[in-house]
Amino acid sequence: MTNELLHGDLCPLCGQPLTLVPDVSVRSNVPYPTRTDYRLHCRYCATDMFRAQEWNDLMRARYES
């Protein structure tokens, strides 16, 4: 069993379902194409000015450890 958050799981801050949004890495002058990753996103916490930083800190702590 994994502790990773998945699409459709509930946000740990507000309890709303998480969605996936594209995270594009654009590279120039390289022989391979631009890479598109998908990252978790909570549209409620991301649009709330007071929770946005808390959400970013939570995700950074989750994936850096």
Side-chain angles (χ1 to χ4, degrees):
M1 185 154 184
T2 180
N3 290 335
E4 297 295 319
L5 294 172
L6 300 172
H7 172 68
D9 283 352
L10 299 180
C11 174
L13 295 178
C14 68
Q16 298 296 324
L18 295 172
T19 58
L20 294 174
V21 294
D23 187 20
V24 178
S25 299
V26 178
R27 297 179 178 96
S28 60
N29 298 327
V30 293
Y32 46 88
T34 298
R35 188 173 94 188
T36 302
D37 293 326
Y38 289 90
R39 61 180 171 83
L40 289 171
H41 178 75
C42 176
R43 66 184 175 118
Y44 299 100
C45 291
T47 57
D48 183 1
M49 184 174 62
F50 298 106
R51 281 203 166 164
Q53 186 60 46
E54 190 177 357
W55 168 259
N56 291 332
D57 293 341
L58 178 71
M59 290 296 108
R60 187 176 305 112
R62 177 178 280 280
Y63 292 110
E64 284 182 353
S65 60

